[in-house]
Amino acid sequence: MAVPKFFEFFEGFLRAIEDGRIHTAKEVRHRLSLDMQISEKDRAEMLPSGKQSKFENRVAWARTYLDKAGLVETPSRGKYRITDAGKKALASGKEINIKYLEKSEKFRAFHKTLTPNASNLVDEEKDESPAEILDIAFQQITATLASQLMDEVMKLSSAQFEKLVVNLLLNMGYGNGITEAGMVTQQSNDGGIDGIIKEDQLGFSNIYIQAKQWATDQTAGKPEIQKFVGALQGQQAQKGLFITTAKFSSGALQYADNLLGTKVVLVDGLTLTKLMIKHNVGVSVEHIYEVKKVDNDFFSEGL
């Protein structure tokens, strides 16, 4: 049979790991190929990019969706285990599709980050043009990558998170070209400052950083920003960056906007992952597609 659509792997994936043990990605794919009678020829079919098989790609997407719905967990990279919610899904006898996954609040939050028409990608009939479909797919992949990135960020220790923030700023060009452009302060005596980075290539001024690895559904309020401003004043600093995996309250945002004499920039979890993707921190380029069009000027004037 042809390689099923990614959402058609949901139940089979759960069946492959329903014993509650930890299974590798290779084991899951092998079980799926047997249970769903996917031939070796179909398993070898490549994506248009030629970089990955369609089978592996769709199984990986199925795992991502199941993970976001809380039906599968990933104890370590490339190893999966069914959760109690996953066992309950199998026992329910209901079809495990995207509609079923929508029961999970976490999955709904994840799915909401995708474009409204992203679900059309899995329908047989599409109203969008090929260019629109490509754009929707790119946004969907980017949103999923951002979610996966945040999962990895939340597994870091607090010290590793602080180093990540400094590395991100260096990749963004702060202090580029000078020795020791950025540093993480000693945790035992940081005075409310987690890191310091040079603002420009000549190192004329410092930007002081506070990095908070809080739950993504947590909200950082005005008091937290006030404490950070106090720490900046203790350093006689005028520029600060408060970066967190959580969200900011409207009060915190308004307070930061209205400061006099001190500039504080707030970066929440969503912005953090966007910056990581844009500046290639924690990600690598998998495929590059070029979309070309006919050069009318060439044919009308260039010949």
Side-chain angles (χ1 to χ4, degrees):
M1 64 174 290
V3 179
K5 297 177 180 179
F6 81 92
F7 55 85
E8 293 175 336
F9 282 114
F10 288 168
E11 182 173 344
F13 195 109
L14 291 177
R15 294 290 180 195
I17 61 174
E18 64 179 330
D19 60 8
R21 299 177 180 177
I22 295 176
H23 293 269
T24 65
K26 184 177 181 180
E27 290 171 345
V28 173
R29 290 196 298 266
H30 178 69
R31 171 74 182 274
L32 284 170
S33 66
L34 293 178
D35 291 350
M36 302 181 76
Q37 298 181 347
I38 303 172
S39 68
E40 183 176 351
K41 178 181 178 181
D42 287 331
R43 294 199 305 274
E45 182 182 356
M46 302 297 287
L47 293 171
S49 65
K51 297 294 183 66
Q52 186 183 32
S53 73
K54 185 180 293 185
F55 174 63
E56 289 187 8
N57 179 269
R58 292 183 177 180
V59 172
W61 273 96
R63 196 279 307 170
T64 295
Y65 271 56
L66 292 171
D67 178 85
K68 294 304 177 184
L71 306 187
V72 170
E73 61 181 359
T74 308
S76 58
R77 288 180 178 82
K79 294 183 179 180
Y80 316 120
R81 180 168 54 204
I82 195 169
T83 63
D84 290 339
K87 294 176 181 178
K88 183 178 179 181
L90 289 177
S92 70
K94 297 179 181 179
E95 181 181 359
I96 304 174
N97 50 24
I98 292 178
K99 184 177 180 180
Y100 183 93
L101 301 189
E102 287 280 359
K103 295 180 179 180
S104 162
E105 182 178 351
K106 180 183 176 183
F107 179 80
R108 289 197 303 272
F110 158 73
H111 211 217
K112 193 179 296 184
T113 62
L114 308 183
T115 58
N117 295 323
S119 59
N120 291 342
L121 293 173
V122 298
D123 295 336
E124 292 185 2
E125 297 184 3
K126 308 178 184 66
D127 296 329
E128 295 87 356
S129 69
E132 290 173 321
I133 292 172
L134 181 61
D135 187 58
I136 290 170
F138 177 77
Q139 293 182 54
Q140 184 178 20
I141 291 170
T142 301
T144 302
L145 173 60
S147 180
Q148 293 172 330
L149 260 181
M150 183 55 70
D151 289 343
E152 294 301 317
V153 168
M154 294 304 294
K155 295 176 184 177
L156 299 176
S157 68
S158 59
Q160 289 174 324
F161 178 64
E162 292 168 5
K163 290 180 181 178
L164 167 68
V165 170
V166 171
N167 287 336
L168 171 60
L169 292 172
L170 290 173
N171 274 37
M172 291 173 66
Y174 288 93
N176 187 28
I178 62 176
T179 306
E180 297 182 355
M183 59 171 287
V184 175
T185 57
Q186 294 182 3
Q187 290 183 309
S188 59
N189 188 28
D190 61 18
I193 302 299
D194 296 323
I196 304 171
I197 196 160
K198 300 295 183 182
E199 183 178 11
D200 52 55
Q201 294 187 13
L202 296 177
F204 277 118
S205 61
N206 292 331
I207 296 175
Y208 291 78
I209 307 163
Q210 188 161 105
K212 295 297 183 184
Q213 189 184 25
W214 290 331
T216 55
D217 58 354
Q218 188 173 339
T219 301
K222 177 179 175 180
E224 294 295 336
I225 311 306
Q226 288 175 319
K227 292 177 186 177
F228 180 48
V229 172
L232 292 176
Q233 292 173 345
Q235 299 286 340
Q236 296 183 331
Q238 295 181 323
K239 297 177 182 179
L241 171 65
F242 192 112
I243 188 164
T244 178
T245 51
K247 299 174 287 187
F248 291 105
S249 69
S250 58
L253 294 169
Q254 186 176 11
Y255 175 75
D257 286 340
N258 294 330
L259 286 171
L260 296 176
T262 303
K263 176 64 176 178
V264 173
V265 174
L266 306 183
V267 174
D268 61 13
L270 180 60
T271 305
L272 169 61
T273 54
K274 286 182 178 179
L275 290 173
M276 290 177 66
I277 292 171
K278 180 179 180 179
H279 297 282
N280 293 316
V281 176
V283 300
S284 58
V285 177
E286 184 175 21
H287 307 303
I288 295 177
Y289 299 95
E290 288 186 332
V291 179
K292 300 183 179 182
K293 65 177 182 178
V294 173
D295 184 350
N296 292 320
D297 291 339
F298 171 81
F299 287 100
S300 61
E301 302 174 5
L303 295 177

